[in-house]
Amino acid sequence: MAIKEGLRPGGRSARVQESIHSAVRELLQEQERSSVTVPQIAARAGVTPSTIYRRWGDLSALLADVALVRMRPDSEPANTGSLRSDLRAWAEQYLDEMSSEPGRNMMRDVQSSATPGYCVSILSSQLQTILDRYPNEPKPGVDRLINIVVAPTVFRILFASAALEVEELHRLIDIALAP
C-alpha cells in the first residue's frame, strides 16, 4: 500500500497528517532520531498511536513519508543563465543539503519507504526543468545526469567517510555535459 493511498487532500485527514508530520519534525530537532517513538509523536500531534499505525503501519514508514515530503523542492532550480552553471548550482545545493546529518537521515528514511522511486522522480523533474531552459543547446538526458552526477553523489553521502568535494562534483558535471 502506498503511504498516502486513500487519504483525501483536504479536511480532517489532511489536518491530522500535517499535525503528525509537524510532531515528527519537531521531535527530530529536539532529540536523537533513534529515541523518537510512535507514542511520543502521537502525544505531540494530539492523536492516538493507533492513528499512526493505521495510516503508516510503523515508525519507519512514517519517517519515510515525512522525508519524502521534505525532499520536495520549494521552488524551481536556480536560473543562472547557462546550462553548466544551472547544473552546478543545483548539484552544489543538493550535495550541501543531502550531506548534512538531517539530509543523510532523510535519504536513509526514503530508502525504507514503500515508494523509494519517488525520490528519482523529484530529482528527474528538477533536472528536466534545467534542461528545458536551454532548448537550442546540445545536452545530456536526465538519466545520464542521474547516472554520472547524482548516483556518485548519493553513494558517497551514504557509504563513504566523506561526501564529494565540490571540485569533483564539477568534474562529474563536465563529464555528463561532454558529447
Side-chain angles (χ1 to χ4, degrees):
M1 177 174 126
I3 294 171
K4 295 182 189 177
E5 189 173 278
L7 296 181
R8 293 186 310 255
R12 182 179 184 281
S13 186
R15 287 190 304 273
V16 168
Q17 179 175 318
E18 180 50 38
S19 174
I20 292 168
H21 278 220
S22 292
V24 169
R25 289 188 302 268
E26 291 168 9
L27 287 166
L28 289 174
Q29 288 181 340
E30 295 171 9
Q31 63 192 56
E32 290 295 317
R33 189 167 159 269
S34 61
S35 66
V36 173
T37 65
V38 169
Q40 285 178 313
I41 296 166
R44 176 77 57 104
V47 300
T48 64
S50 64
T51 299
I52 293 171
Y53 290 119
R54 186 172 50 254
R55 289 178 185 228
W56 286 278
D58 61 18
L59 179 59
S60 65
L62 172 56
L63 292 174
D65 190 38
V66 172
L68 286 168
V69 169
R70 289 181 67 194
M71 288 183 111
R72 282 188 211 127
D74 296 334
S75 60
E76 285 193 354
N79 187 344
T80 64
S82 82
L83 176 59
R84 183 177 312 279
S85 61
D86 281 9
L87 288 171
R88 282 183 172 189
W90 178 86
E92 287 173 18
Q93 180 179 359
Y94 183 77
L95 175 64
D96 185 53
E97 289 175 1
M98 292 300 116
S99 63
S100 69
E101 188 64 30
R104 281 193 306 275
N105 287 335
M106 280 194 314
M107 291 174 95
R108 289 181 181 116
D109 289 337
V110 167
Q111 284 179 315
S112 67
S113 80
T115 55
Y118 181 67
C119 186
V120 174
S121 68
I122 291 171
L123 296 172
S124 294
S125 175
Q126 290 272 286
L127 292 168
Q128 191 62 57
T129 297
I130 293 170
L131 295 174
D132 289 346
R133 289 180 188 152
Y134 306 96
N136 300 322
E137 289 187 36
K139 56 190 171 273
V142 169
D143 285 343
R144 181 173 170 88
L145 291 169
I146 288 175
N147 292 338
I148 294 175
V149 178
V150 178
T153 303
V154 170
F155 182 85
R156 288 286 300 270
I157 289 168
L158 291 176
F159 302 112
S161 59
L164 284 175
E165 295 292 328
V166 172
E167 296 77 23
E168 180 64 16
L169 187 63
H170 290 178
R171 280 191 287 278
L172 292 172
I173 291 168
D174 292 342
I175 291 168
L177 290 174

